[in-house]
Amino acid sequence: MLVMGEVHTGLLQNSGEISESTCRQVLGLMAGETVRVSRRPIVHALSPERLTGVDCALPTASRSRVRGVGTVVSRCAVTGGRVAQGSSYVRVVRSDADRRLPWSHYLARPGVVEVLGKAKAADLAEGFTGDSAPGRPDGACLDLGAVSGRFLDLVQQSTLLDRRAPFKIPRTSLRWVAETGEPSIRFTLHAEQERTLRLTHPGPFTTAVVDLCEDLATHDWLLTSLLVIVERARIGGTPGAQAVARLAPAIDHLMHLWMPAARVEEWLTPFWESLERRPGFTRQWRSLVDRVRDQVAMNTLALLNATADAGRR
Amino acid sequence: MTPVHATFGEVAAERRIASVPLSHVSVELGHLYMEDYEAGPDRLREQFRRVAPWLATVRSLWQERVPGGRARVSTCFLVDDYFSRFSTPAELVPMVLEAAAEHDLSIDYLARESACAQFEDAQSGGVELARLVEDRLVDDPPPETDGSRPPVKETGWLCNGSRSPRTAPMQAMGKTRPWEPPAQNAKRGHSIFVDVELWDEKGPRRTWSCPFLAAVWQLLRLGLLRSDGQVPLPPVALDGGWPRDWDGLPAVVRLNPQAAPFSAYTTLSVLSPRFLPVELAVRTILSQVAVDDEVLRQVATRSESEGVRLEEELVDRISYVFV
């Protein structure tokens, strides 16, 4: 029917970026399973996948009760030794049975949640990514955000991290729904740190779609964080040197991490490209980076001038 | 110039899962505990006498099922060297083989139970199969489990439903909460609630329970375990004689050079009915083990290619004869 997922992204709770070998240890969530690491064009480490069992109502826009049983797939990632993610998703399919089956049935289909009874894909998609946060006043409803949050916590609470992050920045959450059909993509910024993504892709679902969503979440978080840092610097409202000092964390920790679509399979790159046309993530990123660099350049010039003036006196 | 299509790969970024040779069925001819050993060779002979007709039956059933009648059947025997150490391989193994031969049974593979917990040797390094399986447990969720909280766990225990709420009297209120029953998640009308102890710890030492090691043993025989993508504890032929110490013995020894592969699509264990509760516990554990997706696919593809339809759920690939 459809695939739904949620990615939580945050700054790794460590003073500096962590090495590849530390990444491997932090993300080693399962005995006998290796952490996958790619080094080009940016170091990206991905934990083994773990499952969480669920049996609960699924979010619906119509508020009709739809019961789903199965497993959620979750994984953690660290990009550039600096950005941490907890990511979970489920493939929602119709069940052949109208009752809950023995648990071994669901474990034979890892990452699938089977819907008991009637449900419409559009109702579920709207319920999960609609304006009101998923959740029903009358009972428990699938909470992928909590699962992803816990996986992100698992990374952040690693004893290998010094927990002295260079600046405070909120986590962002990206809820996504992917379906098969005419290609389209819709990215929506909601209140605060919430984002949603609706994606229709040709052909069947593969984990490459999850990679794409995680990549978008990483870059949206980078952009959001850089905006926050630039805003906090109060350029124009504070003396130049002070503003530049406040911009320093961006230069030290964020500005080199922008690598859009680096890990996205070729058949999915048109989705990134269309988001680059509108709203233009990279356009906004470049303009912010230019602004930061201009501030640094201006400040350097001012310092040079001041030194020269002092020399002349 | 025409566009150049570039491909770039990184070994560390890929997942490589080795495949394992597979028989059609792996038959466990027996499981030797210290009490059986102490009862003398007659107990063993009696066990093999009971097993022999069932092995013949399962062999002919698979011969009918497989195109061309070329059924691959391997036999194995497990010795408990984990819960108690008794005798030596040099003394015990020839005795077992002899008792089996009296009933025309040939044991293809001999395994050590302690290897299901952990095993270390120069060749394969160290592998802790029990830990590996523990990390693959996915708890059977009671209804209304929505992921908002971590699964409710009693450390070291695994059940198939919801436990009874605690019934300790609430003294402040002066009332006693009435008893409420536990419930099986996938009950049919009424519950059969099972709660299995997986391990206990005395100080730093963890002792895995017999059902947990038996679950690991079933997974090993089904060829569904991997450690860093490699097949753990592949059978080894023994050079020279039987060692005088269990630690000198490989985890799984290949006794018969012509034997069909150790791991198989399905398993059959011929057991005394006194093992029934243990096997119920084993099935409770196995129905909550999430085998790697890629490994499941490998086995399914292989069996389909030779016209064998396998049960989807791994607990359905395991069968027993209780005699």
Side-chain angles (χ1 to χ4, degrees):
Chain A
M1 286 168 78
L2 76 166
V3 186
M4 46 172 92
E6 183 156 346
V7 190
H8 283 204
T9 310
L11 181 72
L12 194 73
Q13 292 302 308
N14 201 54
S15 47
E17 67 181 49
I18 59 171
S19 68
E20 194 190 309
S21 66
T22 311
C23 274
R24 283 183 193 279
Q25 286 171 279
V26 168
L27 296 179
L29 304 183
M30 198 188 277
E33 282 290 332
T34 38
V35 172
R36 282 179 285 164
V37 180
S38 65
R39 300 185 188 89
R40 302 274 185 281
I42 187 165
V43 178
H44 179 267
L46 192 61
S47 78
E49 292 178 343
R50 293 198 75 147
L51 301 178
T52 307
V54 291
D55 174 353
C56 59
L58 300 181
T60 52
S62 66
R63 305 252 151 184
S64 58
R65 190 173 163 81
V66 172
R67 183 180 175 194
V69 187
T71 52
V72 178
V73 182
S74 302
R75 58 195 200 177
C76 305
V78 174
T79 307
R82 192 69 276 192
V83 185
Q85 281 183 319
S87 165
S88 306
Y89 67 94
V90 291
R91 277 183 291 149
V92 182
V93 303
R94 279 193 186 84
S95 172
D96 292 333
D98 57 356
R99 62 186 169 83
R100 178 171 162 166
L101 298 170
W103 189 233
S104 48
H105 168 85
Y106 302 102
L107 286 186
R109 301 159 178 72
V112 170
V113 162
E114 293 190 349
V115 171
L116 309 183
K118 276 185 225 146
K120 289 198 180 80
D123 192 15
L124 291 171
E126 204 48 51
F128 188 61
T129 58
D131 249 344
S132 58
R136 296 155 50 93
D138 55 337
C141 173
L142 180 64
D143 193 346
L144 289 181
V147 182
S148 294
R150 275 202 302 281
F151 274 85
L152 181 49
D153 290 343
L154 213 58
V155 173
Q156 300 288 31
Q157 286 160 4
S158 164
T159 52
L160 297 162
L161 305 180
D162 63 19
R163 248 171 290 280
R164 285 183 299 151
F167 51 92
K168 277 202 165 64
I169 216 94
R171 291 179 175 188
T172 56
S173 110
L174 172 79
R175 279 202 304 278
W176 57 269
V177 166
E179 292 170 272
T180 299
E182 272 304 300
S184 73
I185 187 164
R186 192 171 86 214
F187 186 91
T188 314
L189 289 182
H190 294 258
E192 307 290 325
Q193 273 67 46
E194 288 186 14
R195 286 97 176 84
T196 57
L197 179 74
R198 290 284 296 270
L199 183 79
T200 316
H201 54 82
F205 169 83
T206 72
T207 51
V209 174
V210 185
D211 294 340
L212 170 70
C213 295
E214 289 170 357
D215 197 46
L216 280 169
T218 305
H219 289 88
D220 170 67
W221 178 86
L222 282 172
L223 193 50
T224 307
S225 303
L226 189 54
L227 270 166
V228 168
I229 290 175
V230 168
E231 201 179 282
R232 283 178 190 164
R234 296 184 51 221
I235 297 168
T238 44
Q242 211 175 331
V244 166
R246 288 184 187 158
L247 290 172
I251 302 167
D252 291 341
H253 301 281
L254 299 181
M255 272 164 49
H256 59 290
L257 297 175
W258 192 259
M259 297 280 174
R263 297 186 318 106
V264 174
E265 276 188 17
E266 205 158 334
W267 66 282
L268 287 167
T269 49
F271 290 96
W272 239 118
E273 283 158 9
S274 71
L275 284 177
E276 288 289 33
R277 283 193 296 277
R278 234 170 73 91
F281 281 98
T282 299
R283 198 158 50 203
Q284 190 175 8
W285 177 263
R286 283 213 188 107
S287 125
L288 281 169
V289 167
D290 286 349
R291 202 160 171 216
V292 171
R293 292 205 171 124
D294 288 348
Q295 284 300 313
V296 175
M298 292 271 291
N299 190 51
T300 316
L301 268 179
L303 280 175
L304 282 172
N305 280 337
T307 323
D309 284 351
R312 272 198 292 275
R313 262 193 239 112
Chain B
M1 190 181 146
T2 50
V4 176
H5 182 81
T7 325
F8 172 70
E10 284 181 275
V11 173
E14 291 163 14
R15 244 182 125 229
R16 298 191 176 190
I17 304 292
S19 64
V20 58
L22 291 162
S23 288
H24 290 113
V25 58
S26 151
V27 183
E28 181 178 3
L29 299 178
H31 188 149
L32 192 76
Y33 290 98
M34 184 160 77
E35 63 210 62
D36 304 300
Y37 170 74
E38 283 170 344
D42 283 346
R43 171 82 72 99
L44 257 180
R45 287 198 195 97
E46 175 60 19
Q47 160 77 7
F48 288 130
R49 186 186 65 76
R50 284 194 208 153
V51 169
W54 298 104
L55 176 62
T57 307
V58 77
R59 199 185 290 275
S60 69
L61 283 174
W62 272 97
Q63 277 163 352
E64 282 167 29
R65 195 172 160 186
V66 176
R70 281 188 295 274
R72 300 188 300 276
V73 180
S74 70
T75 60
C76 57
F77 190 88
L78 188 68
V79 179
D80 169 30
D81 66 333
Y82 183 73
F83 296 104
S84 48
R85 286 275 168 114
F86 52 92
S87 187
T88 65
E91 184 196 353
L92 186 88
V93 180
M95 181 183 101
V96 172
L97 298 182
E98 206 173 291
E102 283 177 31
H103 295 277
D104 288 330
L105 291 175
S106 127
I107 298 174
D108 296 330
Y109 300 94
L110 183 110
R112 289 168 52 191
E113 186 152 6
S114 65
C116 296
Q118 64 179 91
F119 184 77
E120 208 172 335
D121 72 356
Q123 202 182 356
S124 56
V127 55
E128 284 189 77
L129 285 190
R131 292 267 180 194
L132 211 128
V133 173
E134 189 193 23
D135 274 358
R136 294 206 153 269
L137 288 175
V138 179
D139 294 35
D140 186 343
E144 304 304 320
T145 303
D146 60 4
S148 59
R149 275 172 246 254
V152 183
K153 275 186 191 294
E154 287 296 331
T155 307
W157 288 79
L158 187 73
C159 71
N160 65 349
S162 314
R163 298 180 174 94
S164 271
R166 289 185 198 282
T167 52
M170 291 187 287
Q171 286 175 346
M173 305 283 287
K175 278 185 199 160
T176 309
R177 196 166 155 182
W179 180 79
E180 283 175 49
Q184 181 187 0
N185 288 336
K187 66 178 176 188
R188 287 198 161 187
H190 299 88
S191 282
I192 301 172
F193 179 76
V194 183
D195 208 344
V196 183
E197 188 168 15
L198 304 178
W199 45 262
D200 65 359
E201 271 171 354
K202 288 192 183 71
R205 189 183 143 76
R206 174 179 290 199
T207 307
W208 298 95
S209 70
C210 166
F212 194 79
L213 293 185
V216 176
W217 171 235
Q218 288 284 4
L219 289 167
L220 191 65
R221 285 166 69 201
L222 288 169
L224 296 176
L225 295 178
R226 297 292 183 278
S227 177
D228 293 332
Q230 299 299 309
V231 179
L233 312 183
V236 178
L238 198 65
D239 297 327
W242 294 100
R244 306 219 152 266
D245 181 14
W246 287 104
D247 287 329
L249 198 66
V252 181
V253 186
R254 185 200 304 272
L255 299 167
N256 170 8
Q258 269 89 47
F262 167 71
S263 295
Y265 295 141
T266 63
T267 70
L268 172 76
S269 299
V270 186
L271 301 165
S272 152
R274 70 187 157 105
F275 289 110
L276 227 153
V278 176
E279 295 307 321
L280 173 62
V282 170
R283 293 177 73 86
T284 304
I285 296 167
L286 285 178
S287 56
Q288 298 181 59
V289 173
V291 171
D292 186 83
D293 211 7
E294 178 64 34
V295 177
L296 285 178
R297 252 198 309 270
Q298 255 180 22
V299 175
T301 313
R302 184 101 60 81
S303 63
E304 273 161 30
S305 74
E306 58 171 322
V308 175
R309 237 188 82 85
L310 276 188
E311 298 289 346
E312 233 176 28
E313 297 165 36
L314 73 98
V315 280
D316 294 336
R317 299 181 191 173
I318 297 165
S319 54
Y320 305 93
V321 176
F322 289 104
V323 283

